[in-house]
Amino acid sequence: MAHSYFLPLFISLIVISSVSANFQRDVEITWGDGRGQITNNGELLTLSLDKSSGSGFQSKNEYLFGKIDMQMKLVPGNSAGTVTTLYLKSPGTTWDEIDFEFLGNLSGDPYTLHTNVYTQGKGDKEQQFKLWFDPTADFHTYTILWNPQRIIFTVDGTPIREFKNMESVGTLFPKNQPMRMYSSLWNADDWATRGGLVKTDWSKAPFTASYRGFNQEACVWSNGKSSCPNGSGQGPTGSWLSQELDSTAQERMRWVQKNYMIYNYCTDTKRFPQGLPKECFAA
């Protein structure tokens, strides 16, 4: 039976963490030379960016399927040229990856939320959105749900994108490589804002993004084994490993895509002159 992955909008605007996250326990700051900080007894993490460097962190655990929630408050004001990320990624040259990338913009202009899926080092599956709220004014919850059948991207409980397992039509799907959760804040003014036309205003530095409420419901991969029986099938809560979008959630996702999607690789015929990818036509 399908499990609903939808929260009504009035509920989704209220951001509540289901568990008490502890960044000191769950993640490690991996770069930035002190620009990443964990405070409030492990409940708050901040990343900063200045002209010398950005910063980043990663989960201590690796996952082979999971539901990852993170509350984030993005760089306020003139964030042009900056990129804040939240993603899952495996190591190596034929890596798997599931991306949220938040591309900064001039003051008063909305962020661009960029999503992508890579399998065995191959991506080209971008969808981009504008958000229906100011992501710098308060914390909002961004979720990646990854199970053997699908990947669902959600914002405050509202699904914005579903990437189904379409191996039946020859589309690669990430299902064999364990991934860590990563996040970073860095300068990409060669491409991030209007294709690189707008550069970072370093007089506004340091730029800061804030994190709280990290929740991991996942099959943890350790020493070549999964914490889930038989590697899948039953997770710590069970439901997310078979979760799908019910009709209400699908309707809500269509609403988001109709009103806030600004790029979809499945409609970019100029990019794919030989024909759109097969998964774009699969049910």
Side-chain angles (χ1 to χ4, degrees):
M1 185 176 72
H3 296 272
S4 175
Y5 200 69
F6 168 74
L7 290 175
L9 184 60
F10 74 94
I11 295 178
S12 73
L13 293 176
I14 304 173
V15 182
I16 302 174
S17 178
S18 60
V19 298
S20 178
N22 189 311
F23 287 113
Q24 292 173 334
R25 177 191 64 213
D26 296 330
V27 310
E28 54 185 344
I29 296 172
T30 50
W31 64 284
D33 194 23
R35 292 173 179 82
Q37 298 284 335
I38 297 174
T39 58
N40 290 10
N41 295 317
E43 294 181 359
L44 180 70
L45 189 152
T46 56
L47 296 180
S48 65
L49 163 69
D50 57 33
K51 199 167 186 178
S52 298
S53 178
S55 49
F57 66 94
Q58 69 182 43
S59 64
K60 292 182 178 178
N61 287 330
E62 283 187 298
Y63 316 104
L64 189 59
F65 306 122
K67 179 174 178 282
I68 305 298
D69 300 303
M70 183 72 77
Q71 294 181 26
M72 301 171 62
K73 182 164 64 173
L74 302 182
V75 174
N78 184 358
S79 57
T82 70
V83 177
T84 309
T85 66
L86 177 68
Y87 61 101
L88 298 173
K89 187 176 185 294
S90 66
T93 57
T94 55
W95 73 97
D96 293 347
E97 185 173 342
I98 305 169
D99 285 340
F100 273 126
E101 291 185 323
F102 303 87
L103 312 184
N105 217 327
L106 294 169
S107 298
D109 291 341
Y111 268 74
T112 295
L113 172 52
H114 177 100
T115 66
N116 205 348
V117 176
Y118 288 81
T119 310
Q120 298 175 28
K122 298 178 180 179
D124 298 332
K125 303 186 186 302
E126 299 95 336
Q127 290 184 358
Q128 294 182 344
F129 304 83
K130 300 295 186 184
L131 295 171
W132 52 92
F133 53 83
D134 179 359
T136 75
D138 204 348
F139 286 90
H140 292 267
T141 302
Y142 303 91
T143 302
I144 296 172
L145 185 146
W146 167 41
N147 66 32
Q149 297 82 35
R150 57 187 45 81
I151 297 163
I152 302 171
F153 298 80
T154 73
V155 177
D156 287 345
T158 297
I160 65 170
R161 177 180 184 180
E162 179 183 27
F163 185 83
K164 294 182 179 179
N165 184 337
M166 289 294 177
E167 292 176 313
S168 60
V169 299
T171 299
L172 297 174
F173 185 85
K175 66 175 187 178
N176 297 316
Q177 300 190 71
M179 297 193 270
R180 291 187 192 274
M181 184 275 296
Y182 295 87
S183 187
S184 58
L185 173 58
W186 51 290
N187 177 51
D189 65 3
D190 57 333
W191 64 269
T193 305
R194 299 181 190 172
L197 294 177
V198 183
K199 303 299 182 182
T200 303
D201 181 358
W202 293 113
S203 71
K204 306 297 183 183
F207 303 97
T208 302
S210 301
Y211 302 78
R212 70 183 187 191
F214 173 39
N215 184 27
Q216 48 184 330
E217 297 180 66
C219 299
V220 175
W221 188 264
S222 179
N223 298 319
K225 295 182 179 180
S226 171
S227 63
C228 298
N230 302 317
S232 61
Q234 293 293 325
T237 61
S239 64
W240 60 265
L241 260 168
S242 59
Q243 193 161 334
E244 60 187 63
L245 298 177
D246 65 13
S247 58
T248 304
Q250 291 172 359
E251 181 180 353
R252 193 64 188 169
M253 183 174 66
R254 286 192 293 269
W255 175 85
V256 171
Q257 293 181 351
K258 177 182 178 181
N259 291 282
Y260 297 101
M261 180 183 283
I262 57 175
Y263 178 80
N264 182 6
Y265 78 106
C266 277
T267 61
D268 193 344
T269 55
K270 291 183 179 179
R271 182 177 176 184
F272 301 101
Q274 304 303 317
L276 295 171
K278 290 182 180 179
E279 70 268 13
C280 296
F281 303 98

